[in-house]
Amino acid sequence: MTLEHKEAFGLLEKSDNILVLTHRNPDGDAVGSAFALRSILKEMGKRVRVEIDTVPPSLSMPVTEEAFGDFEPDFVVTVDVADKKLLTDEHLEKYGDRVNLAIDHHESNKPFAENLLLDFRASAACEVIFDMLEEASFSVSEATATALYLGISTDTGCFRYPNCTAHTLYAASRLVEKGAPNAEINRIVFETKTRAYVQLEALAMSSMRTYFDGKCAVIVITQDMFGKTGTTEADVHGIAALPRQIEGVMAGIVIREKTDGTYKASVRTNEPLNAAGICGVFGGGGHRLAAGCDLTGTKGQVVNAILEAVEEALKEI
Amino acid sequence: MTLEHKEAFGLLEKSDNILVLTHRNPDGDAVGSAFALRSILKEMGKRVRVEIDTVPPSLSMPVTEEAFGDFEPDFVVTVDVADKKLLTDEHLEKYGDRVNLAIDHHESNKPFAENLLLDFRASAACEVIFDMLEEASFSVSEATATALYLGISTDTGCFRYPNCTAHTLYAASRLVEKGAPNAEINRIVFETKTRAYVQLEALAMSSMRTYFDGKCAVIVITQDMFGKTGTTEADVHGIAALPRQIEGVMAGIVIREKTDGTYKASVRTNEPLNAAGICGVFGGGGHRLAAGCDLTGTKGQVVNAILEAVEEALKEI
């Protein structure tokens, strides 16, 4: 059942012993929306537990830990999960068929929960939660503001991307007013690079190739490059945005080799090219201008496969 | 005389034949505040003329040109000018002693005009103008919103820097509501790099040296590097922010060689290091975390001079 913001809030109000889940490889919006919901529910006097994959240090500001005795959830919420397949394997098995409420903002959302609060005009799941609090006239605490700011700022590339609306900026303004330490979060998330990352970025940029009259730029990051620079797959996040930034590029693609020898592609496009469409060819998905997919084969096969999909997509625009 | 926002607006209301000036080498805030003021004054039925140095193409969105017959200003306004020495030589000579109103946001402002509207809590001169319009209940047109958004977004690194407050985000939200094409401006200003720039950035990053246990990172960009990559001094702007981003760096310095063989340094610091203090040693200035100065000597002398100033500043914190 599809809910309005206030109805979703009402469901949470009626519940107790709430388990909050998000997708694996959590990004800023996953961390922010999970821990924002945690602090809201705690303030409402609920028992809450967040179960989340490893959180990268740069996104850990809202994370709070708490010892739990026995905790048997009566109510399971997912945040920022567009498809139950994106849950960890453990969560998928245990809770995949008993999620009571999903709060999401992905246009590609595949409903899986008993109730769904979906607003794909929102830049982030955190913006959906902010709106829910406004609708319910629930006061935003500093802890909640901090978590929500993290999610909104990371999902919009710090308010740069086209998903940042007037309302997104309004939400951010209110959150900073409520005490979200925007300067500190921005410095840690957007303005701090390790030396190892800087080296990886330099290697990556020098390995970039362009295709189709410069409309497509492709970077392949190999395990060897991670090894040489002392970086990991988590460091690829910052690089994913770079090829699309080059003048004339419609599709910027960063393919990384995973430890098991398969590949993962991050596809960023400029309008009117649809990134989710390109990734959909390979069973992936995401947003219109930022999507991802898994690929198997040799490095050459993988690059060729994605180039074919890009070529098809370019023909259609 | 120091004015409140409303008083400054009152002065503009009483004037006619208004000349708007800004600093040389105009950045986004200079362009934005000058052309925002132009569109506001036009809407008030005034005759207005903006005189401005060459505007980089990426910042040209708010620029409008108009043929002028004879135009003898009755009233001269400067925007984003902290010191009259920052005017072009021609403007300094012609108008340096007859500026009627200066609108600025620099803490380092050296008063030179008959009247001064200064708010150094504002992220940008454009934010000061936005506040002036709100105080005066003057409706913001799409053209004004576009120009003001350009200035605010560029002076805050697209809302990343510590000068971005809750009020800054509120202003941006209102401007986008009024029609500022934020996605388009962000794409052109922050998300578009030429191939030549990407090459310059790679060269610059590989030439970076660190000092004082990694607390200071220095990049020197020579005329030779501009020549090799087909870039110009204007391309340095994007690079200036990079060295400070590296973990542990307190002072990130980018020194560029000018065509006349002298040097210009951009200094970016992290708290509590004061960039304006370091640049003040050489007669430069700016903000607490972002400042600049001119330097003469050989490349080695210039680097040593600035390193000495950084070393002194590091001792004091």
Side-chain angles (χ1 to χ4, degrees):
Chain A
M1 199 172 125
T2 304
L3 304 184
E4 296 298 319
H5 294 81
K6 251 185 162 162
E7 296 170 313
F9 191 80
L11 270 189
L12 293 168
E13 268 185 318
K14 278 191 293 185
S15 308
D16 229 317
N17 297 309
I18 300 166
L19 177 67
V20 181
L21 304 176
T22 185
H23 57 80
R24 54 184 143 82
N25 301 322
D27 56 9
D29 194 27
V31 176
S33 54
F35 284 94
L37 203 53
R38 180 186 184 283
S39 77
I40 294 158
L41 294 169
K42 294 286 286 183
E43 286 153 22
M44 289 162 78
K46 313 289 181 187
R47 290 187 80 213
V48 199
R49 177 174 181 145
V50 173
E51 284 188 19
I52 192 165
D53 240 10
T54 312
V55 174
S58 66
L59 303 177
S60 66
M61 191 183 280
V63 175
T64 44
E65 298 285 354
E66 196 173 347
F68 269 90
D70 53 329
F71 183 88
E72 191 44 53
D74 310 323
F75 194 86
V76 181
V77 194
T78 65
V79 286
D80 200 37
V81 178
D83 186 327
K84 68 179 178 180
K85 284 187 288 184
L86 300 171
L87 292 167
T88 64
D89 291 341
E90 189 197 331
H91 290 152
L92 179 61
E93 195 188 331
K94 217 163 154 187
Y95 303 111
D97 295 322
R98 54 168 287 210
V99 176
N100 302 98
L101 173 62
I103 299 176
D104 191 32
H105 73 114
H106 291 86
E107 208 166 345
S108 61
N109 184 285
K110 290 185 186 162
F112 57 87
E114 190 187 338
N115 298 285
L116 174 63
L117 172 57
L118 173 67
D119 180 1
F120 54 74
R121 290 159 313 174
S123 64
C126 281
E127 190 175 330
V128 181
I129 293 175
F130 172 83
D131 290 343
M132 184 179 76
L133 298 181
E134 285 237 313
E135 291 280 327
S137 302
F138 187 86
S139 172
V140 176
S141 68
E142 190 178 320
T144 302
T146 300
L148 292 180
Y149 181 88
L150 178 73
I152 291 176
S153 62
T154 51
D155 258 22
T156 57
C158 211
F159 313 105
R160 277 193 191 185
Y161 300 154
N163 63 350
C164 177
T165 64
H167 184 71
T168 310
L169 290 161
Y170 163 76
S173 163
R174 294 286 294 153
L175 297 171
V176 173
E177 222 166 70
K178 293 289 183 182
N182 63 317
E184 198 180 344
I185 292 175
N186 296 348
R187 189 178 54 74
I188 295 170
V189 177
F190 301 105
E191 293 280 319
T192 306
K193 298 174 178 178
T194 62
R195 274 157 205 258
Y197 171 81
V198 170
Q199 287 179 310
L200 180 69
E201 188 179 304
L203 265 183
M205 291 311 284
S206 65
S207 82
M208 190 175 67
R209 297 282 172 272
T210 58
Y211 303 87
F212 314 131
D213 293 327
K215 288 197 188 72
C216 178
V218 179
I219 286 172
V220 181
I221 302 177
T222 59
Q223 282 293 323
D224 186 51
M225 288 158 84
F226 291 129
K228 263 188 197 153
T229 54
T231 50
T232 67
E233 277 189 61
D235 289 298
V236 171
H237 189 71
I239 294 173
L242 302 181
R244 182 182 59 185
Q245 291 178 355
I246 295 170
E247 219 168 12
V249 169
M250 299 288 296
I253 295 167
V254 174
I255 300 169
R256 65 178 187 261
E257 186 186 2
K258 303 210 283 189
T259 46
D260 65 3
T262 67
Y263 291 86
K264 187 168 169 56
S266 291
V267 177
R268 303 284 177 96
T269 56
N270 280 316
E271 286 288 0
L273 204 62
N274 184 354
I278 292 167
C279 291
V281 173
F282 307 99
H287 302 279
R288 190 168 161 76
L289 303 181
C293 58
D294 294 315
L295 296 159
T296 52
T298 65
K299 184 176 142 181
Q301 286 168 339
V302 159
V303 171
N304 281 337
I306 205 134
L307 283 175
E308 272 176 35
V310 170
E311 193 172 21
E312 280 306 308
L314 282 170
K315 272 184 204 158
E316 282 163 24
I317 62 172
Chain B
M1 199 171 125
T2 305
L3 304 185
E4 297 297 323
H5 294 80
K6 251 184 162 163
E7 295 170 313
F9 191 79
L11 269 189
L12 292 168
E13 268 184 317
K14 278 191 293 185
S15 308
D16 229 317
N17 297 308
I18 299 166
L19 178 67
V20 181
L21 304 176
T22 186
H23 58 79
R24 53 183 143 81
N25 301 323
D27 57 8
D29 193 27
V31 176
S33 55
F35 284 94
L37 204 52
R38 180 186 185 283
S39 77
I40 293 159
L41 293 169
K42 294 286 286 184
E43 286 153 22
M44 290 163 76
K46 312 289 181 187
R47 290 187 81 213
V48 199
R49 177 174 181 145
V50 173
E51 283 188 19
I52 192 165
D53 240 8
T54 311
V55 173
S58 66
L59 304 176
S60 65
M61 193 186 279
V63 175
T64 44
E65 298 284 354
E66 197 173 345
F68 268 91
D70 53 329
F71 184 87
E72 191 46 51
D74 311 324
F75 194 87
V76 181
V77 194
T78 64
V79 286
D80 199 38
V81 178
D83 186 327
K84 69 178 178 181
K85 284 187 288 184
L86 300 171
L87 292 167
T88 65
D89 292 341
E90 189 196 330
H91 290 152
L92 179 61
E93 196 188 331
K94 215 163 157 189
Y95 303 110
D97 295 322
R98 52 167 290 207
V99 176
N100 302 97
L101 172 63
I103 299 176
D104 191 31
H105 73 115
H106 292 86
E107 207 166 346
S108 61
N109 183 285
K110 291 184 184 158
F112 58 87
E114 190 188 338
N115 297 285
L116 173 63
L117 171 59
L118 173 67
D119 179 2
F120 54 74
R121 292 160 313 175
S123 65
C126 281
E127 190 175 331
V128 181
I129 293 174
F130 172 83
D131 290 344
M132 183 178 78
L133 297 181
E134 286 236 312
E135 291 281 328
S137 303
F138 187 86
S139 172
V140 176
S141 69
E142 190 178 321
T144 302
T146 300
L148 293 179
Y149 181 89
L150 178 74
I152 291 176
S153 62
T154 51
D155 257 22
T156 58
C158 211
F159 312 105
R160 278 193 190 186
Y161 301 154
N163 63 351
C164 176
T165 65
H167 184 69
T168 309
L169 290 161
Y170 164 75
S173 163
R174 294 285 295 151
L175 296 172
V176 173
E177 223 166 69
K178 293 291 184 180
N182 63 318
E184 198 179 344
I185 292 175
N186 296 349
R187 189 177 55 74
I188 295 171
V189 177
F190 301 105
E191 293 279 319
T192 306
K193 298 174 178 178
T194 62
R195 275 158 204 255
Y197 171 81
V198 170
Q199 288 178 311
L200 181 69
E201 188 180 303
L203 264 182
M205 291 312 283
S206 65
S207 82
M208 190 176 66
R209 296 284 171 272
T210 58
Y211 304 88
F212 314 130
D213 293 327
K215 288 197 188 72
C216 179
V218 179
I219 286 173
V220 181
I221 302 177
T222 59
Q223 282 293 324
D224 186 49
M225 287 157 86
F226 290 128
K228 262 187 199 154
T229 54
T231 50
T232 67
E233 278 190 60
D235 288 298
V236 172
H237 189 72
I239 295 172
L242 303 180
R244 181 181 61 183
Q245 292 179 355
I246 295 170
E247 219 168 13
V249 168
M250 300 287 296
I253 295 168
V254 174
I255 300 170
R256 66 177 186 263
E257 185 185 2
K258 303 210 283 189
T259 46
D260 65 2
T262 66
Y263 292 85
K264 184 167 173 57
S266 291
V267 177
R268 302 285 177 96
T269 56
N270 280 316
E271 285 289 358
L273 204 62
N274 184 353
I278 293 166
C279 291
V281 173
F282 307 99
H287 301 279
R288 190 168 162 75
L289 303 181
C293 58
D294 294 314
L295 297 159
T296 51
T298 65
K299 185 175 142 180
Q301 285 168 341
V302 159
V303 171
N304 282 337
I306 205 135
L307 283 175
E308 273 177 35
V310 170
E311 194 171 21
E312 281 307 308
L314 282 170
K315 272 185 203 156
E316 283 163 24
I317 61 170

